[in-house]
Amino acid sequence: KHQYSGTLYVAGMGGHFAVVDVNIDPSAESPIQISSLNRLEIGESSTHPTHDPRIDTNDRNTMFWSTYKKDKSANNQLHVGKSDLKSGKVLTDKLVALPEEAKWAGANYCGSGQSEKSYIPISMAHAGYIDVFDKKTMDLKERVMFTDFAPDANYKFAHAVNSPDMKYYYVILNKSTPKTKDSWDTTGEYDLYLLDMAALEKGQAKVVKKNTLKGGNAKTSISFRMTYTPDGKYILQSVNDMFFLIDAKTLEIVAKENRQAGGNHDALPTADGKYAVLTLRAPNPAISTEEKIVDGWVQLYDIEKREVVGE
């Protein structure tokens, strides 16, 4: 009988992360029970809206983060930083200027990967880019534009994560067709790239493997953040109204789940790789719809059986 407990750090636009302690029993009618709910603050909603938690593989008490929107009070720059998960204190907070090529910057850092020495967030700006920061100092070491590895691609939004052995940096771009110079329509197709991590840390984009996937709904199946299973066999890919289980070697979809009941924006494995926890955005009927507030939900997915479990 598999039972689990752990803590989820769920990013929020209010300048904080929800800290969600959970107990998981796949045999229960409601398999995920929240035992406590708190939050980790990194700043104000006007300066530090965030989508990106990345816990350090070297020190599980340290979490790196980056911001989604430009800070108008700081010359429209972005923030990157790291926090102590025990004390909740911000350890480092640095400002980063956008590149001149990022003509559209309505959405910015929204995911990340890491190596032993580097924290590597990816931007959803257009043109998009990948930044390499030194974990100790949080200084920007390298910047790689998407045009270095996807020069002819039309895309809307980008996300990334490192492989468990930290040899690769996996990137997914939503293929799109431009409507105007600042607006794109997604197509339900995705360009996937495996970049060599060692080269990326040197500011070079070396594509190890590339694949294009189909299988989503054109306007609603937008890819978001992802995680590898601990053994590196699968990539757990959130796709808004869907969830993809992707073979990490072939970069092909091996299973998919329709998530119409909630927008799937993250997918995290249990430590044994048997289940995935899907984080969802869904309207909360207890909150006035006039406020347009979307609540956070979690749901369990059985990776072996390839199906959702319970409520």
Side-chain angles (χ1 to χ4, degrees):
K1 185 177 182 180
H2 301 286
Q3 293 188 344
Y4 312 87
S5 61
T7 302
L8 308 177
Y9 292 89
V10 186
M13 293 292 280
H16 68 272
F17 296 88
V19 182
V20 190
D21 292 324
V22 296
N23 295 306
I24 301 175
D25 180 356
S27 65
E29 183 176 350
S30 295
I32 304 180
Q33 293 291 328
I34 295 174
S35 58
S36 69
L37 177 64
N38 212 314
R39 71 179 190 174
L40 177 75
E41 297 183 16
I42 61 172
E44 300 295 328
S45 59
S46 60
T47 60
H48 288 73
T50 183
H51 280 193
D52 172 43
R54 182 64 49 198
I55 294 177
D56 192 355
T57 56
N58 304 319
D59 177 9
R60 301 295 292 174
N61 291 318
T62 299
M63 187 172 73
F64 301 98
W65 44 261
S66 58
T67 54
Y68 183 82
K69 292 287 188 181
K70 294 179 290 184
D71 184 350
K72 294 180 180 178
S73 67
N75 199 28
N76 286 322
Q77 296 185 93
L78 300 168
H79 291 263
V80 295
K82 57 183 176 180
S83 294
D84 184 292
L85 295 181
K86 283 188 174 180
S87 67
K89 293 182 179 180
V90 173
L91 302 173
T92 308
D93 184 346
K94 291 198 172 182
L95 289 167
V96 186
L98 281 72
E100 292 183 0
E101 296 92 332
K103 303 299 183 184
W104 180 84
N108 296 280
Y109 294 130
C110 195
S112 65
Q114 65 178 307
S115 68
E116 182 181 355
K117 297 181 179 180
S118 303
Y119 163 60
I120 313 176
I122 190 168
S123 173
M124 298 206 302
H126 204 290
Y129 57 97
I130 300 165
D131 279 345
V132 180
F133 294 91
D134 180 271
K135 281 185 173 180
K136 289 185 178 180
T137 65
M138 296 305 293
D139 290 338
L140 178 62
K141 296 297 186 182
E142 302 289 348
R143 173 166 282 168
V144 175
M145 302 301 300
F146 290 0
T147 48
D148 290 351
F149 61 90
D152 301 321
N154 284 320
Y155 55 87
K156 180 180 181 178
F157 302 157
H159 298 82
V161 76
N162 58 280
S163 60
D165 58 10
M166 293 187 287
K167 290 183 178 179
Y168 306 111
Y169 188 83
Y170 163 80
V171 177
I172 185 167
L173 307 179
N174 294 285
K175 291 177 73 70
S176 70
T177 55
K179 291 194 299 183
T180 68
K181 66 182 182 69
D182 294 327
S183 179
W184 305 267
D185 277 336
T186 54
T187 65
E189 300 174 302
Y190 317 88
D191 281 339
L192 279 56
Y193 299 86
L194 280 184
L195 302 182
D196 181 84
M197 181 69 82
L200 188 62
E201 288 187 281
K202 297 176 182 178
Q204 303 165 7
K206 180 181 178 182
V207 178
V208 178
K209 186 174 181 60
K210 176 183 182 294
N211 193 28
T212 297
L213 297 178
K214 298 180 180 181
N217 302 309
K219 293 186 177 181
T220 56
S221 298
I222 301 171
S223 62
F224 291 105
R225 286 170 298 278
M226 73 296 280
T227 314
Y228 279 77
T229 51
D231 60 6
K233 185 176 181 181
Y234 296 115
I235 298 167
L236 310 175
Q237 180 67 63
S238 67
V239 198
N240 194 37
D241 60 358
M242 304 189 83
F243 163 75
F244 292 163
L245 186 66
I246 296 174
D247 186 292
K249 287 185 177 180
T250 65
L251 299 184
E252 295 286 352
I253 298 172
V254 296
K256 58 184 179 179
E257 179 71 30
N258 191 311
R259 288 297 325 132
Q260 294 286 355
N264 182 202
H265 281 251
D266 287 278
L268 311 167
T270 52
D272 57 9
K274 293 184 180 298
Y275 296 91
V277 176
L278 310 182
T279 66
L280 313 172
R281 296 180 186 179
N284 187 338
I287 300 174
S288 170
T289 55
E290 293 179 0
E291 296 182 59
K292 296 182 179 179
I293 292 175
V294 176
D295 203 356
W297 301 69
V298 285
Q299 185 161 39
L300 199 64
Y301 178 87
D302 190 317
I303 294 173
E304 295 177 344
K305 294 181 179 180
R306 298 178 181 176
E307 60 185 17
V308 293
V309 181
E311 297 298 321

